[in-house]
Amino acid sequence: MKSELAELDQKRPMPDDEAPDAVPVPHALVPHLNETAILLDIDGTLLELMPTPREVWVPPGLSETLNRLTERTSGALAMVSGRSLNDIDLIFAPDVFRAVAGHGAEMRLTVGNEADDVHAPPMDKELKRRLAAIAKLSPGILLEDKGYSLALHYRLAPHAEKAIYEAVSLIRADLPNAPIEVLPGKFVCEIKHSGFTKATGVRELMKHEPFKGRRPIFIGDDVTDETVFAIMPEMNGLSFSVGRRAMGVNGHFDTPNDVRAFLARLLDDTRLE
């Protein structure tokens, strides 16, 4: 195993223009599943992006793959998402997975618990009211209230992108001391409390069993996943982007379907035993 791990360490994060063209075959990537933690973004990574957040769906076979990987890693599989825990559970129902949710605002360490920790307080009501009013700029802008954050989805109104960000900037300029952060994503502008990210959530997750002491593998697709890409080296972990060759990753997938196929191959590779 040491020789395989040394081989992987030579594939450490590199500049974007030098990022590898493909992901290594399973046995080279994961010498032993019982020493690995699998961390997965959802939208655009495990599941295809849809016109609205409510339209995403779980393809046949994925639930079985995720449950088998959870068993093979002794539970060290978690979703790392900007979605709330409630949303994640609705998507994967009746399955329930460990998760870092809400960009690190929520966490579930034990299957069966609604949440083990909540890091973020609810967003100020007046601030939320002002931000929510931005959705009136154009038909097709969808408002998603997560309590600790607010997301403006404009996949159905791409022409409104500039106006949305200008409106958010005006509100921030009017409230310079408000503890908020703007997260640009794929056809979404999310405003959340500052001080927590997917990376802070993953750091906390990796302190607890069954993740503690394992080598994490994180797969994500969006700008909000870059904070996790950045901390993987300090955990001796590996990261992979989807749909683009992101800076600082060890490889990339073209589509969520490629991610699902890769996860299935992990289970079929007998050399991982």
Side-chain angles (χ1 to χ4, degrees):
M1 182 182 73
K2 289 184 179 179
S3 62
E4 292 184 41
L5 292 178
E7 200 175 304
L8 282 170
D9 286 330
Q10 294 175 4
K11 300 174 182 177
R12 278 287 166 203
M14 54 191 70
D16 185 58
D17 59 357
E18 298 179 12
D21 290 327
V23 173
V25 293
H27 78 276
L29 177 64
V30 189
H32 296 281
L33 283 175
N34 61 5
E35 298 175 3
T36 301
I38 299 175
L39 311 178
L40 303 166
D41 175 48
I42 298 173
D43 295 272
T45 297
L46 266 183
L47 307 178
E48 282 76 9
L49 293 169
M50 293 295 174
T52 68
R54 297 297 180 193
E55 293 181 65
V56 301
W57 59 285
V58 178
L62 178 57
S63 291
E64 180 183 358
T65 296
L66 294 174
N67 281 305
R68 288 179 63 197
L69 281 171
T70 298
E71 182 179 353
R72 291 274 295 277
T73 58
S74 300
L77 179 146
M79 304 299 163
V80 180
S81 177
R83 288 183 180 266
S84 66
L85 280 175
N86 184 62
D87 263 4
I88 293 172
D89 290 347
L90 288 174
I91 290 170
F92 291 100
D95 297 317
V96 178
F97 298 102
R98 293 170 176 83
V100 172
H103 300 289
E106 298 179 287
M107 184 177 300
R108 177 165 55 216
L109 297 169
T110 306
V111 174
N113 285 7
E114 182 175 341
D116 290 288
D117 203 358
V118 177
H119 299 285
M123 184 176 286
D124 177 78
K125 290 183 179 180
E126 177 59 20
L127 173 60
K128 185 181 291 186
R129 184 191 66 77
R130 292 183 63 178
L131 291 168
I134 296 173
K136 298 178 182 178
L137 286 173
S138 174
I141 300 176
L142 303 180
L143 181 67
E144 183 182 9
D145 185 352
K146 301 180 182 179
Y148 42 79
S149 70
L150 188 146
L152 296 158
H153 299 270
Y154 53 91
R155 185 171 294 275
L156 298 178
H159 59 276
E161 178 178 16
K162 183 179 179 181
I164 290 171
Y165 281 97
E166 287 178 346
V168 171
S169 294
L170 287 173
I171 294 173
R172 294 187 76 186
D174 193 36
L175 301 169
N177 296 321
I180 58 174
E181 179 183 358
V182 178
L183 298 177
K186 293 179 178 178
F187 295 100
V188 61
C189 174
E190 185 159 357
I191 304 94
K192 70 173 186 65
H193 270 281
S194 57
F196 64 93
T197 64
K198 286 186 177 182
T200 60
V202 167
R203 277 202 179 100
E204 182 64 27
L205 181 79
M206 294 301 297
K207 294 177 183 178
H208 301 272
E209 297 292 348
F211 302 92
K212 186 176 181 180
R214 289 173 174 259
R215 188 177 206 186
I217 292 176
F218 173 68
I219 307 177
D221 74 303
D222 212 343
V223 175
T224 58
D225 297 313
E226 291 177 359
T227 60
V228 186
F229 294 156
I231 67 170
M232 284 295 100
E234 71 186 55
M235 300 179 179
N236 195 32
L238 299 167
S239 59
F240 300 90
S241 58
V242 184
R244 63 192 178 103
R245 297 169 62 184
M247 184 175 293
V249 299
N250 300 88
H252 81 281
F253 299 92
D254 289 331
T255 68
N257 187 58
D258 296 325
V259 175
R260 296 191 295 268
F262 171 75
L263 295 174
R265 288 201 305 274
L266 289 181
L267 292 165
D268 294 335
D269 197 321
T270 57
R271 284 167 291 191
L272 300 183
E273 297 294 349

